[in-house]
Amino acid sequence: MRKTWPMVLSILYASAIYCFIFLPVAVLVLFSFQDGRFPIPPLKGLSLRWYEAVWNDSRLVEALVNSVTVAVGSSLVAVLLGFLSAYGLARFALPAKGLQRALLTAPLTVSYLIIGMGLLITFNTLGVPKSLLAAGIGHVVINLPLCFAIIYSQMSDHQANIERAARDLGAAEWQVVTLITAPMLWPALFASFFLSMTFSWDEFIISFLLTRFDVTLPVEIWSLLRSGLNPKTNAVGSVVFAISIVLVFLLELVVLRNRRRS
Amino acid sequence: MTTLAVDARNITHRYSGFTALDNVSLTVPTGAYTVFLGPSGSGKTTLLSVIGGFLVPQSGEVLINGRDMTEVAPAKRPTTTVFQDYALFPHMTIGANVAFGLRMRGVGSAERKNKAKRMLDLVGLGGADGKKPHELSGGQRQRVALARALAVDPSVLLLDEPLGALDLKLRRQMQAELKSIQREVGTSFIHVTHDQEEAMAIGDTIVVMNHGRIEDSGSPERIYLKPATHFAAGFMGQSSFLKGKVRDVSAGSVVLETPCGAFALPSGPAAYKPGEAVVVSVRPEHFVTGEIAGDGMIALGAGRLRTMTFAGTHHLGELDHEACAAFRPVVQLPQSGGPGIGDTVRLWARVEDAVVLKAEG
Amino acid sequence: MKMAGGAQSRRIDLGPWAFVAPALLWTLAFFVVPFLVMVVVSLWERVGTKLVASWTFANYLKFFERGHFFEAMINSLEVTAIVTLLSILLAYPFAWIIAEKVPQRWQRIALVLAILPFWTSYVVRSYSWLLVLANNGVVNQALLGIGLVDEPLDLANSRTATVIGFVHFFVMLLTLTIYANLVQLSPNYRKAAADLGAGPFRIFWHVILPLTLPGIMVGAFLTFVLCIGDYITPQVLGGNNELLMPQVIMLQIGRRADFPTASALAILLMIVVTVAYLGFARWIRLERA
């Protein structure tokens, strides 16, 4: 067959890249089950003792709860603000719309390090102590532009007509938003919420700069790294990975279902 | 005294660099089916928006049932709108869509459901209340939009090109249904369209619009047979226009000077001055062909038959006129046994069928 | 003619602002103001443990005077350039194989798989590479096992490790953007080019590559921005042998609480990113189409 060679090359190349992509994750997860003190070859047997160690480490568990709290809280705020501003800008005649859109999406182009530093210095100057709340505020700053952009892109003129119909039939402005617009945009709201969750959940540098005693999970893992290679770090890293995957999977499910329907 | 459903007075609205409504005044009688007819950009949809409350005009006022509604929000008006894209709520069932307006008015759940069922029965969709909009065909969605707008018992129902998205056959069928539903509920309907056949088929009154102004309004028959303007004559059905000048004016009639000779025609409601440019409008079926001069007939010269189009019940022939190259008469000819291409045909029209109109552009 | 917006009134309506104001105020208070504070602080001085409003460009001048600041910027630019180039070269064929060789119904799964580790947190991902590249890690053990080397290679704590860690992340990102660009190309372009007599290579060079350039550029810009601003990967994998800008900035904050110097360096880094943005700008559209 004439087409065999390119196909063989393609398969080889793709396999190599998949190996490269999955190598660190595979090693991470595999050696989280290491029945020994070091997460390096040889694998001495499989055990769940390091997961047990994670479970018994109250600081890690606390950090995990903190991370979930910050992720859920900041994502809710980001989606709410993003939705309201997208609705306002898409549906009403406001001055300087372009400038407003530019302002709302500006944080997308600035690195997390600089956003975190700005907040750190500002809070420091004002005497605001480091806290999970401060980190949450930072997470809203990085996720709000995403939520706004996603939701804004989903607001079509057809939907504007649907809202007009609701108003015509007697719905007040708040009823239009809650009964018509939000349910219609449900997939976009859901997608931006879960994307925000994932980003907040994985975010390190802002949390690192803005928290002190109560920290988020990535910050706690960071301090674990100082003890060098340790299967316990593997175990908690695997847990973090698993939770991210669940979030992404949920997102994928909603997007897919929605795509199939339309 | 009969109340007016809508009384619009001196409405003007400009978009940047474009006048959508130019000092428009109009009245719509209660309980009738009114059609706004015009090409796109004629202002018909803007006028509907002004009546529905989606647009506050820059000047002028709108009275609905005798009350000033110019700045009242859509929700507070006794009007509802059927949108061109139907604007059904995609996340609600058909039943919930139809009951939405009643829900907003605080009507109890059982009563709303009942009313929604009755409205769906009215539009021929009984039993569909559990479905979602995306499960319905275009025509069915159209009916749901109608039921939803009628469920709150508006005194005026506004329809914005409601049949525009349907295919021809379905459109003709829906026209008949719309008219019969209007008769049944007795609500005043105002229907916007650019399709003159649709307008003639359903309108009790037709309002012909162009460039933000009303060109003509009246019954379909009147507008077709005695159009008020050159534009109305050309937009409502087909017509051939012979250019001429006014030579003499007398009570109720004018004498015209045309390339086909001079003749007198009734002048209608408009006033003419000698020397004014006019056109004579003749519908294809009003041409009389052959050598049959007689009383009450005007001679319109002769032409060579250039093209023939078969239209089922008859042929439409286009002629090159002998005396006037700018005059291209379109004439209805027999289904069979008539003249053929290249033949010379003599043209006549009865005095009461030819309409004299002020020339435009 | 379309119906105009909501119920437009002849009066001025404050209602719409209620929707937009919360997000605008949030962005102003927690993004714009902190940035301005940073600009102001960058012009101050740290005397002892106190900040003094002395309005000086001294912090910016330090960047050029002290060799290691300048060096860090050069390192950052070098690493970022290498990473961007390598990632594009690796990701393009991969994205192309997924878009062209994988059957339609498996493409989505192939893509989701290809970017799955993308969702591990930065910290965990860098740590994982440390595991792989450590002296007694998987790679060295494998190399020793098959006798390719006699002594373990010093892979971790080097620029190589930093680059590998970065490339791993950005190959996934770029695969995504390039794939998205490839699949939206109409197959008729290729058919038309082939019909007019172009061979596979010329079709790629004259038709496919120019049409996917926007996707490559968007990905390259994202890579540039994220790479040059990242602290974790060089800190975990590069060690302290060779510092990049974010590491130097963090050193000013962490060890010395020298906010003015840190701010000045961060602003310089931002200027570099802005210059890059202007260079890429013609390919980047953040607006909705």
Side-chain angles (χ1 to χ4, degrees):
Chain A
M1 255 174 47
R2 222 182 50 138
K3 286 195 170 171
T4 313
W5 261 109
M7 203 61 207
V8 168
L9 273 177
S10 297
I11 290 172
L12 280 178
Y13 186 82
S15 312
I17 296 282
Y18 273 120
C19 281
F20 173 61
I21 286 173
F22 276 94
L23 177 63
V25 177
V27 171
L28 175 84
V29 175
L30 181 64
F31 286 99
S32 69
F33 297 108
Q34 173 75 299
D35 196 6
R37 287 191 47 219
F38 296 103
I40 43 172
L43 194 63
K44 292 180 175 154
L46 298 176
S47 119
L48 285 175
R49 58 193 263 210
W50 298 108
Y51 286 90
E52 219 178 304
V54 169
W55 181 246
N56 288 328
D57 185 331
S58 63
R59 286 194 57 84
L60 274 175
V61 175
E62 244 170 63
L64 189 141
V65 173
N66 289 343
S67 264
V68 172
T69 314
V70 169
V72 172
S74 69
S75 301
L76 281 177
V77 174
V79 171
L80 182 68
L81 295 186
F83 168 66
L84 290 178
S85 52
Y87 182 76
L89 281 175
R91 295 288 183 260
F92 298 101
L94 287 170
K97 273 191 182 187
L99 188 71
Q100 293 189 41
R101 278 206 306 270
L103 179 64
L104 287 175
T105 47
L108 279 179
T109 55
V110 177
S111 79
Y112 289 3
L113 172 64
I114 290 172
I115 291 174
M117 261 182 67
L119 283 170
L120 170 68
I121 294 171
T122 308
F123 287 159
N124 200 59
T125 315
L126 295 174
V128 178
K130 294 184 174 189
S131 67
L132 287 172
L133 181 65
I137 287 174
H139 286 184
V140 175
V141 172
I142 59 172
N143 284 326
L144 173 56
L146 269 177
C147 295
F148 168 76
I150 293 172
I151 298 167
Y152 186 73
S153 72
Q154 294 299 311
M155 292 194 150
S156 64
D157 291 340
H158 175 59
Q159 288 168 345
N161 236 4
I162 292 174
E163 288 157 10
R164 223 169 267 142
R167 252 175 241 130
D168 185 40
L169 292 168
E173 200 57 42
W174 65 271
Q175 285 172 313
V176 173
V177 173
T178 54
L179 294 176
I180 306 295
T181 314
M184 254 188 327
L185 286 172
W186 162 242
L189 295 176
F190 191 83
S192 45
F193 178 75
F194 272 92
L195 209 58
S196 295
M197 284 268 288
T198 330
F199 284 147
S200 171
W201 169 252
D202 281 345
E203 200 287 324
F204 167 77
I205 194 82
I206 293 175
S207 308
F208 181 65
L209 289 170
L210 296 179
T211 59
R212 182 168 285 158
F213 303 113
D214 288 319
V215 297
T216 61
L217 196 52
V219 179
E220 189 59 38
I221 294 173
W222 173 258
S223 51
L224 269 185
L225 289 194
R226 274 190 234 130
S227 59
L229 302 185
N230 182 344
K232 191 168 141 193
T233 314
N234 286 44
V236 70
S238 304
V239 171
V240 172
F241 180 56
I243 293 174
S244 300
I245 295 307
V246 169
L247 285 178
V248 173
F249 184 71
L250 279 176
L251 182 70
E252 190 72 12
L253 217 62
V254 170
V255 171
L256 262 187
R257 208 185 55 181
N258 189 51
R259 196 165 294 165
R260 208 166 289 154
R261 215 190 314 161
S262 57
Chain B
M1 182 189 108
T2 54
T3 54
L4 292 171
V6 175
D7 182 1
R9 296 172 180 170
N10 307 102
I11 308 268
T12 295
H13 194 81
R14 283 187 190 82
Y15 295 112
S16 52
F18 168 70
T19 305
L21 291 174
D22 185 3
N23 198 26
V24 166
S25 296
L26 129 134
T27 57
V28 173
T30 299
Y33 205 126
T34 306
V35 178
F36 293 174
L37 173 69
S40 67
S42 60
K44 57 191 193 302
T45 297
T46 308
L47 185 56
L48 197 77
S49 307
V50 167
I51 297 170
F54 296 102
L55 189 69
V56 178
Q58 281 141 357
S59 68
E61 54 251 18
V62 182
L63 278 68
I64 299 173
N65 296 335
R67 288 175 47 212
D68 185 359
M69 291 274 165
T70 314
E71 290 195 50
V72 174
K76 301 278 194 309
R77 298 185 184 213
T79 60
T80 48
T81 299
V82 174
F83 291 87
Q84 185 173 11
D85 58 2
Y86 317 142
L88 299 183
F89 309 132
H91 56 291
M92 294 183 191
T93 61
I94 299 309
N97 260 283
V98 176
F100 186 83
L102 298 169
R103 184 174 163 202
M104 292 300 107
R105 282 160 177 72
V107 176
S109 154
E111 200 186 330
R112 318 204 271 264
K113 260 186 203 145
N114 237 318
K115 179 84 184 261
K117 276 211 166 69
R118 266 186 291 134
M119 296 318 298
L120 285 170
D121 283 340
L122 176 72
V123 298
L125 273 179
D129 47 348
K131 289 189 177 161
K132 286 282 191 74
H134 66 93
E135 295 173 68
L136 301 186
S137 69
Q140 289 172 319
R141 286 181 211 187
Q142 165 64 61
R143 290 158 202 254
V144 176
L146 186 64
R148 184 177 70 177
L150 283 172
V152 296
D153 298 322
S155 62
V156 183
L157 184 77
L158 308 172
L159 303 106
D160 179 18
E161 305 238 4
L163 310 177
L166 305 180
D167 63 52
L168 191 65
K169 194 170 167 225
L170 199 53
R171 191 152 53 182
R172 300 289 174 245
Q173 182 193 336
M174 278 305 293
Q175 284 166 9
E177 283 189 38
L178 275 175
K179 184 135 187 171
S180 83
I181 288 170
Q182 193 268 331
R183 292 276 177 277
E184 193 169 342
V185 295
T187 306
S188 316
F189 278 31
I190 301 178
H191 176 130
V192 161
T193 184
H194 59 261
D195 176 350
Q196 47 100 5
E197 277 185 53
E198 182 173 310
M200 281 195 271
I202 48 179
D204 295 323
T205 308
I206 295 177
V207 178
V208 181
M209 296 187 70
N210 191 33
H211 294 312
R213 283 191 300 270
I214 294 176
E215 294 273 343
D216 197 359
S217 75
S219 71
E221 293 84 357
R222 208 279 286 136
I223 295 181
Y224 186 81
L225 295 173
K226 297 285 174 201
T229 65
H230 189 169
F231 176 83
F235 199 74
M236 268 285 273
Q238 208 168 6
S239 210
S240 309
F241 298 106
L242 173 65
K243 284 184 181 160
K245 268 196 171 66
V246 177
R247 196 169 71 185
D248 241 332
V249 185
S250 59
S253 82
V254 284
V255 179
L256 305 178
E257 183 83 59
T258 73
C260 303
F263 45 82
L265 284 175
S267 60
Y272 294 92
K273 294 189 294 286
E276 198 172 349
V278 293
V279 292
V280 177
S281 163
V282 184
R283 300 285 183 199
E285 66 274 23
H286 290 157
F287 281 106
V288 180
T289 57
E291 304 284 347
I292 37 164
D295 267 359
M297 288 282 211
I298 51 175
L300 293 170
R304 261 166 51 92
L305 194 50
R306 195 161 65 104
T307 62
M308 293 255 276
T309 314
F310 184 55
T313 56
H314 56 266
H315 280 94
L316 274 182
E318 197 184 355
L319 276 68
D320 288 323
H321 198 270
E322 283 173 350
C324 175
F327 185 39
R328 281 278 177 79
V330 176
V331 180
Q332 183 173 320
L333 296 168
Q335 193 183 43
S336 56
I341 287 178
D343 292 355
T344 298
V345 179
R346 293 209 72 79
L347 297 173
W348 308 80
R350 302 194 315 165
V351 167
E352 62 265 37
D353 288 338
V355 182
V356 58
L357 297 165
K358 290 178 190 264
E360 232 170 49
Chain C
M1 187 185 328
K2 294 278 160 288
M3 290 193 185
Q8 287 181 356
S9 163
R10 284 172 195 169
R11 288 159 288 144
I12 293 167
D13 197 359
L14 284 177
W17 287 107
F19 291 104
V20 196
L24 285 179
L25 290 178
W26 192 284
T27 309
L28 277 177
F30 301 118
F31 175 70
V32 177
V33 168
F35 179 71
L36 295 178
V37 168
M38 219 165 77
V39 172
V40 168
V41 167
S42 76
L43 300 172
W44 289 5
E45 245 181 330
R46 183 166 146 278
V47 177
T49 56
K50 286 234 164 73
L51 296 185
V52 181
S54 54
W55 309 109
T56 162
F57 280 101
N59 299 310
Y60 291 92
L61 291 176
K62 270 189 228 164
F63 172 76
F64 298 100
E65 286 161 2
R66 296 197 193 161
H68 66 277
F69 287 167
F70 194 74
E71 221 170 80
M73 182 68 93
I74 298 297
N75 288 339
S76 269
L77 287 172
E78 278 176 11
V79 167
T80 303
I82 295 169
V83 166
T84 308
L85 203 66
L86 265 180
S87 304
I88 292 173
L89 288 178
L90 286 174
Y92 197 104
F94 188 49
W96 188 82
I97 288 168
I98 294 179
E100 297 293 326
K101 300 283 174 188
V102 175
Q104 197 90 46
R105 53 202 219 93
W106 295 106
Q107 283 189 12
R108 200 170 169 82
I109 291 180
L111 198 69
V112 167
L113 267 181
I115 60 166
L116 204 59
F118 186 82
W119 303 104
T120 12
S121 77
Y122 257 30
V123 183
V124 173
R125 203 178 321 115
S126 298
Y127 168 77
S128 309
W129 273 111
L130 202 58
L131 286 177
V132 173
L133 300 174
N135 261 351
N136 38 16
V138 179
V139 168
N140 269 319
Q141 301 248 1
L143 290 177
L144 287 170
I146 56 173
L148 223 58
V149 294
D150 299 326
E151 267 180 42
L153 298 172
D154 243 344
L155 291 171
N157 295 320
S158 67
R159 181 184 274 203
T160 313
T162 306
V163 169
I164 290 177
F166 272 136
V167 167
H168 177 241
F169 180 69
F170 293 115
V171 160
M172 296 188 273
L173 186 79
L174 281 161
T175 301
L176 201 61
T177 63
I178 297 171
Y179 169 84
N181 206 310
L182 277 172
V183 288
Q184 72 180 24
L185 291 186
S186 159
N188 286 342
Y189 288 127
R190 184 190 326 260
K191 286 183 196 154
D195 190 38
L196 296 169
F201 176 76
R202 296 215 289 179
I203 291 176
F204 175 77
W205 188 252
H206 293 295
V207 180
I208 307 294
L209 189 61
L211 286 171
T212 47
L213 210 57
I216 296 175
M217 286 304 168
V218 169
F221 176 68
L222 276 174
T223 306
F224 185 92
V225 172
L226 294 174
C227 183
I228 207 163
D230 184 36
Y231 166 67
I232 296 283
T233 309
Q235 183 67 16
V236 173
L237 290 171
N240 290 324
N241 302 330
E242 179 189 74
L243 296 182
L244 304 189
M245 273 306 268
Q247 292 174 284
V248 171
I249 294 172
M250 287 298 283
L251 272 180
Q252 308 308 314
I253 296 178
R255 211 169 285 169
R256 314 180 47 226
D258 185 351
F259 290 154
T261 309
S263 298
L265 292 176
I267 287 165
L268 285 170
L269 189 61
M270 259 196 80
I271 291 172
V272 170
V273 172
T274 309
V275 170
Y277 173 77
L278 294 177
F280 283 103
R282 47 184 290 216
W283 284 288
I284 296 165
R285 302 268 177 277
L286 284 173
E287 286 296 309
R288 69 169 165 167

